[in-house]
Amino acid sequence: MKLTVVTSDLTVIKDNEAYIVADLSHLDKNIHAIQWQDTTGEIEYLDSTPNLVINDITPYNQCVTDWETAKAKYISDNTPTEVESEAAFKSYRNSLLSESDWTQLPDNKLSDTKKTEWQTYRQSLRDITSGISSVTDVENITWPTKPS
């Protein structure tokens, strides 16, 4: 595991993934940063205290717990609800229908074959919601291909 803790900005970086944590007051006030790579690390101090080499990350495991909590909160805060996902899906589907409205106008200059292809495409877009029962289905939908 690679771990970096920067106390001044409440940043904990674990395996190159950074999150701002709520609190690092459990650390010594003189610590500027903690650097850890697999089996060894270093404590950097705010004053002129020389850096301290460490061979045990256990005293700083709370920083990993803080990182996990911050990550879970970030994911929770940034995951759309089922209603939001459904609304985004329908909005996208409706935009595809709107973009192809011109193909159904009587003066569109498309051949009858092309017009039928566009009608089939548009009907597929309208029917696409019939097979969806959950947000997971929405995220894995296979959209129909526009006629060329």
Side-chain angles (χ1 to χ4, degrees):
M1 170 183 66
K2 182 176 181 181
L3 183 70
T4 301
V5 179
V6 182
T7 60
S8 60
D9 56 7
L10 299 175
T11 301
V12 178
I13 307 164
K14 180 180 173 234
D15 298 328
N16 297 317
E17 193 173 347
Y19 292 99
I20 304 298
V21 299
D23 182 32
L24 290 173
S25 63
H26 53 87
L27 296 175
D28 183 312
K29 302 285 184 232
N30 195 29
I31 293 177
H32 166 67
I34 301 168
Q35 303 283 345
W36 179 262
Q37 178 71 43
D38 296 325
T39 60
T40 188
E42 196 168 86
I43 306 293
E44 301 170 16
Y45 294 98
L46 292 168
D47 62 13
S48 59
T49 303
N51 290 357
L52 174 67
V53 174
I54 58 173
N55 296 311
D56 181 16
I57 195 66
T58 307
Y60 308 102
N61 279 346
Q62 182 61 46
C63 296
V64 175
T65 301
D66 296 340
W67 177 90
E68 290 166 347
T69 301
K71 179 179 180 176
K73 182 177 180 350
Y74 176 84
I75 290 169
S76 174
D77 290 350
N78 291 285
T79 300
T81 65
E82 189 167 339
V83 170
E84 291 167 334
S85 291
E86 185 178 333
F89 164 79
K90 287 182 178 179
S91 176
Y92 179 67
R93 189 267 322 261
N94 292 345
S95 72
L96 293 175
L97 284 166
S98 293
E99 290 171 6
S100 63
D101 281 348
W102 67 272
T103 66
Q104 303 309 298
L105 298 173
D107 63 346
N108 65 28
K109 300 189 187 213
L110 291 172
S111 69
D112 289 342
T113 303
K114 283 293 177 190
K115 190 169 185 176
T116 300
E117 287 177 21
W118 279 101
Q119 288 170 339
T120 301
Y121 167 73
R122 290 168 55 80
Q123 188 60 51
S124 295
L125 287 172
R126 286 191 286 282
D127 293 344
I128 207 163
T129 56
S130 64
I132 296 173
S133 61
S134 73
V135 173
T136 303
D137 291 340
V138 169
E139 292 171 354
N140 297 314
I141 196 85
T142 301
W143 293 92
T145 303
K146 277 186 194 178
S148 53

